[in-house]
């Protein structure tokens, strides 16, 4: 008969771990403690972060409207999760590289990708991946978790070159179930790569809730097995996200390796324009999500500092609406791409059979 293994026989503890949680502001924008990050006193910076989140929210709303009128393809919004991308994007340097996934709109905008470029991509035109200002950022990844391996590859190049640059990538919590994710954090750990993995934990992987995605208590602890630093963050508290991301980037630049940040948020919208979240979520759950959303929280904090007013809100909304409309007009006025583009940018030298197809396409234009 098999005897159970117990502490009384051969077991001893060889390692212990913990996952810490970072939050500065409560749901009503009130500080939880006296010690806030130093930038929390910079009201001009906070006003900018608030405006940047508002810009993403307005852009998302317009993108949804365009999709509904047949002027855009399937689109994934970030409603309620704006603090994550704005938070980490606001501390990235120009020379860092963003390896985005489909819900990285806020991070892309922070790193210089224009609204018109993002619309062009989601309109099915690969010219939207040719970022004018963020030249080295990778294209948006729709396949799940592949971006993590790409980020590890970029970080490997930085390390081999001896450059103080960091690769930053973002992934949904559902994507952390994929092998690509585990492979990426493993190599990031063993090679001490300068890479930041941001897990956008918005509670739902399309219609699958967190409790049946993983048996782990947190997504952050997945980094422990890879031997890399991890932290769980209130993803609706932009002070916490920004501070955690900045420290992670500094660690990476000092050669101290990768970090995984689990940012806990809530998706207030459908997964994409092809989804109907009302089929799997209750109205009460969504109502609670609205109470925790990041813009309301930061606005209340700004108001407590006498740094925001209704007039500021009105002016901001008017300015952003004009910016978004200008981007939409730029997107809609783009000439259609050539049919031959899909082959012209695929190979340095086209194979013979594809050359024949290209010539046929060219004759049809």
């Amino acid at each position: 008969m098999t005897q159970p293994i117990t502490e009384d026989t051969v077991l001893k503890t060889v390692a212990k771990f913990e996952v810490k949680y970072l939050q500065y502001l409560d749901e009503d924008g009130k500080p939880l403690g006296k010690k806030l990050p130093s930038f929390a006193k910079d009201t001009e910076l906070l006003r900018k972060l608030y405006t940047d989140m508002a810009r993403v929210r307005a852009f998302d709303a317009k993108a949804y409207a365009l999709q509904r009128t047949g002027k855009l393809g399937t689109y994934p919004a970030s409603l309620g999760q704006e603090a994550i991308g704005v938070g980490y994007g606001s501390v990235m340097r120009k020379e860092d590289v963003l390896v985005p996934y489909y819900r990285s709109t806020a991070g892309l905008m922070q790193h210089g990708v224009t609204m018109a470029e993002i619309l062009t991509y989601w309109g099915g035109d690969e010219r939207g991946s040719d970022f004018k200002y963020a030249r080295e950022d990778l294209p948006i990844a729709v396949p799940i978790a592949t971006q993590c391996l790409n980020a590890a590859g970029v970080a490997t190049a930085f390390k081999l070159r001896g450059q103080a640059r960091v690769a930053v990538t973002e992934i949904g919590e559902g994507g952390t179930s994929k092998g690509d994710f585990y492979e990426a954090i493993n190599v990031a750990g063993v090679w001490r790569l300068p890479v930041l993995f941001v897990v956008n934990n918005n509670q739902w992987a399309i219609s699958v809730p967190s409790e049946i995605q993983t048996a782990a208590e947190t997504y952050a602890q997945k980094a422990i097995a890879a031997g890399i630093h991890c932290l769980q963050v209130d993803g609706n508290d932009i002070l916490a996200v920004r501070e955690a991301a900045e420290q992670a980037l500094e660690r990476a630049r000092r050669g101290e390796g990768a970090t995984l940040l689990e940012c806990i948020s809530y998706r207030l919208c459908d997964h994409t324009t092809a989804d109907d979240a009302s089929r799997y979520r209750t109205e009460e759950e969504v109502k609670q999500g609205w109470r925790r959303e990041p813009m309301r929280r930061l606005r209340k904090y700004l108001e407590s500092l006498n740094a925001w007013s209704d007039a500021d809100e009105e002016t901001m909304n008017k300015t952003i609406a004009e910016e978004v409309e200008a981007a939409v007009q730029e997107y809609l006025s783009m000439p259609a791409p050539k049919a031959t583009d899909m082959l012209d940018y695929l190979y340095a030298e086209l194979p013979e059979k594809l050359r024949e197809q290209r010539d046929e396409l060219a004759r049809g234009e």
Side-chain angles (χ1 to χ4, degrees), residues 116-193:
E117 288 170 337
I118 296 171
L119 289 172
T120 301
Y121 173 82
W122 290 111
D125 189 332
E126 283 295 342
R127 288 177 296 179
S129 297
D130 186 15
F131 307 140
K132 184 176 180 181
Y133 299 108
R135 297 297 300 169
E136 294 185 295
D137 284 2
L138 268 61
I140 295 168
V142 174
I144 307 300
T146 56
Q147 74 275 16
C148 295
L149 282 169
N150 292 333
V154 172
T156 302
F158 292 161
K159 187 176 179 69
L160 291 173
R161 295 171 184 167
Q163 297 174 323
R165 305 169 68 186
V166 185
V168 179
T169 191
E170 187 178 354
I171 184 172
E173 86 284 355
T176 67
S177 298
K178 296 283 288 185
D180 299 50
F181 169 76
Y182 286 103
E183 292 166 12
I185 62 173
N186 184 67
V187 73
V190 74
W191 289 349
R192 294 176 68 83
L193 297 178

Side-chain angles (χ1 to χ4, degrees), residues 23-24 31-37:
Q23 179 185 5
Y24 290 111
L32 292 169
K34 293 182 180 179
K35 188 174 182 180
L36 296 177

Side-chain angles (χ1 to χ4, degrees), residues 107-316:
L108 285 164
M109 286 186 185
Q110 286 291 306
H111 210 218
V113 178
T114 69
M115 290 185 278
E117 288 170 337
I118 296 171
L119 289 172
T120 301
Y121 173 82
W122 290 111
D125 189 332
E126 283 295 342
R127 288 177 296 179
S129 297
D130 186 15
F131 307 140
K132 184 176 180 181
Y133 299 108
R135 297 297 300 169
E136 294 185 295
D137 284 2
L138 268 61
I140 295 168
V142 174
I144 307 300
T146 56
Q147 74 275 16
C148 295
L149 282 169
N150 292 333
V154 172
T156 302
F158 292 161
K159 187 176 179 69
L160 291 173
R161 295 171 184 167
Q163 297 174 323
R165 305 169 68 186
V166 185
V168 179
T169 191
E170 187 178 354
I171 184 172
E173 86 284 355
T176 67
S177 298
K178 296 283 288 185
D180 299 50
F181 169 76
Y182 286 103
E183 292 166 12
I185 62 173
N186 184 67
V187 73
V190 74
W191 289 349
R192 294 176 68 83
L193 297 178
V195 56
L196 170 60
F197 300 96
V198 179
V199 177
N200 180 338
N201 179 2
N202 63 29
Q203 314 293 318
W204 290 88
I206 309 183
S207 59
V208 181
S210 286
E211 57 265 28
I212 57 175
Q213 291 179 50
T214 180
E217 292 181 87
T218 71
Y219 290 95
Q221 71 196 67
K222 296 187 177 187
I224 293 172
I228 64 176
H229 183 67
C230 67
L231 184 67
Q232 194 180 63
V233 181
D234 185 331
N236 289 346
D237 176 358
I238 197 165
L239 300 189
V241 176
R242 190 177 193 277
E243 178 67 6
E246 185 167 33
Q247 291 190 18
L249 295 180
E250 289 174 356
R251 288 185 70 255
R253 290 189 218 285
R254 291 195 300 266
E256 296 176 16
T259 297
L260 188 154
L261 298 181
E262 177 193 355
C263 299
I264 300 177
S265 185
Y266 186 80
R267 170 164 55 81
L268 290 168
C269 53
D270 296 329
H271 180 262
T272 68
T273 47
D275 179 38
D276 178 5
S278 67
R279 299 178 65 183
Y280 54 84
R281 299 194 305 199
T282 66
E283 291 184 7
E284 181 59 28
E285 179 184 316
V286 178
K287 183 179 178 181
Q288 290 299 318
W290 275 105
R291 178 159 179 76
R292 298 190 296 270
E293 66 97 1
M295 286 194 62
R296 172 183 178 275
R297 190 178 308 195
L298 182 56
R299 176 169 177 171
K300 284 185 171 293
Y301 180 62
L302 282 168
E303 289 173 342
S304 74
L305 301 176
N306 294 317
W308 197 258
S309 66
D310 289 344
D312 290 327
E313 186 83 10
E314 183 177 351
T315 300
M316 176 192 74

Side-chain angles (χ1 to χ4, degrees), residues 98-112:
L98 178 60
V99 188
Y101 84 134
Y102 51 80
R103 212 182 302 281
S104 294
T105 299
L108 285 164
M109 286 186 185
Q110 286 291 306
H111 210 218

